[in-house]
Amino acid sequence: MKVGKKILNSKQNIYLIGFMGAGKSTVGKILAKKLRRKFFDTDALVEKKLNKSITNIFQEKGESYFREIEAEIVKEVALIDNRVVALGGGAIMRRENWEGITKSGMTVYLKWDITSLIPRIVGDTSRPLVKEGVGPLVNNEIEKLLQEREPFYENADIILRCKNDLEPEHIADQIIQSIQELR
Ligand code: S3P
């Protein structure tokens, strides 16, 4: 049996990784439904744990506190199987997170060109890193951050090129196909 078929039949988690605005949550929900798995979103789990929005957590406690809680959530998620998991864009930057992720499942990078990505996130008030007047990032810094993270994202088992004209449903189908084709 091909590796990919084994993965789909196994209970290994499928982690969606990529930059803010890549569509991890939207695609993840659809993918989970198609594979009859439960869906987790680490940002939502952080918010639930602290009963606060990501924006409030950043504003009140700062990014490093958010990263600590995010790491706790990743650890907890890695102990549960049979899930599709959308990871916050920065989660893969911590070595311990990456270890937990790769031990408990496989990774899919939703890769976008920076030019398509920026309009998807600029002005978004729910993302503190890019929130106007709050977030430290403006366009060229967003690009810098993506460049910094790209090599980490590219360690994914599957890299899926995304474009605006691809419906999330279609991206989910492509992910399933790419997993099936893994050898
Ligand atoms: C972040 C991405 C966000 C969220 C937080 C920080 C990042 O998640 O975890 O605002 O560092 O890229 P999304 O990738 O789901 O937007």
Side-chain angles (χ1 to χ4, degrees):
M1 202 193 280
K2 276 189 191 167
V3 174
K5 286 245 160 74
K6 271 195 195 148
I7 290 169
L8 288 177
N9 290 334
S10 81
K11 292 190 168 177
Q12 273 195 61
N13 289 336
I14 298 170
Y15 291 97
L16 302 188
I17 70 173
F19 208 66
M20 290 173 270
K24 292 161 292 185
S25 304
T26 309
V27 172
K29 277 183 204 149
I30 299 170
L31 181 64
K33 222 178 215 166
K34 285 180 187 280
L35 296 176
R36 295 197 184 84
R37 288 175 175 226
K38 287 201 174 136
F39 172 69
F40 274 163
D41 181 325
T42 59
D43 285 340
L45 293 174
V46 169
E47 289 182 326
K48 199 167 155 203
K49 186 165 182 148
L50 300 181
N51 199 20
K52 275 190 175 80
S53 69
I54 301 281
T55 306
N56 283 346
I57 300 166
F58 269 69
Q59 266 171 344
E60 291 170 19
K61 304 260 194 174
E63 181 174 350
S64 58
Y65 179 75
F66 167 78
R67 296 296 172 201
E68 291 302 320
I69 306 299
E70 180 178 57
E72 284 174 21
I73 293 291
V74 170
K75 213 184 255 171
E76 288 167 24
V77 167
L79 295 174
I80 303 171
D81 59 15
N82 212 19
R83 298 290 191 273
V84 171
V85 184
L87 288 162
I92 45 89
M93 297 301 286
R94 265 203 191 199
R95 183 199 277 255
E96 60 177 297
N97 290 352
W98 185 251
E99 283 170 4
I101 292 162
T102 48
K103 270 190 196 140
S104 58
M106 59 159 308
T107 45
V108 181
Y109 171 30
L110 301 186
K111 183 179 166 88
W112 289 77
D113 286 337
I114 186 72
T115 43
S116 321
L117 209 48
I118 285 181
R120 291 170 64 91
I121 52 177
V122 164
D124 186 337
T125 53
S126 69
R127 293 191 165 98
L129 287 179
V130 293
K131 190 173 171 187
E132 216 175 312
V134 177
L137 301 177
V138 289
N139 287 12
N140 64 336
E141 288 160 336
I142 294 175
E143 188 166 356
K144 225 171 94 193
L145 187 65
L146 176 63
Q147 276 168 4
E148 224 174 272
R149 288 181 179 174
E150 190 92 54
F152 294 84
Y153 293 142
E154 297 212 337
N155 284 328
D157 297 301
I158 289 171
I159 298 175
L160 209 93
R161 281 208 149 266
C162 301
K163 286 193 194 105
N164 274 321
D165 57 0
L166 283 181
E167 290 297 321
E169 165 107 28
H170 186 70
I171 297 177
D173 287 335
Q174 283 199 343
I175 292 173
I176 296 174
Q177 198 185 333
S178 305
I179 296 175
Q180 282 167 341
E181 284 167 1
L182 277 181
R183 13 183 105 248

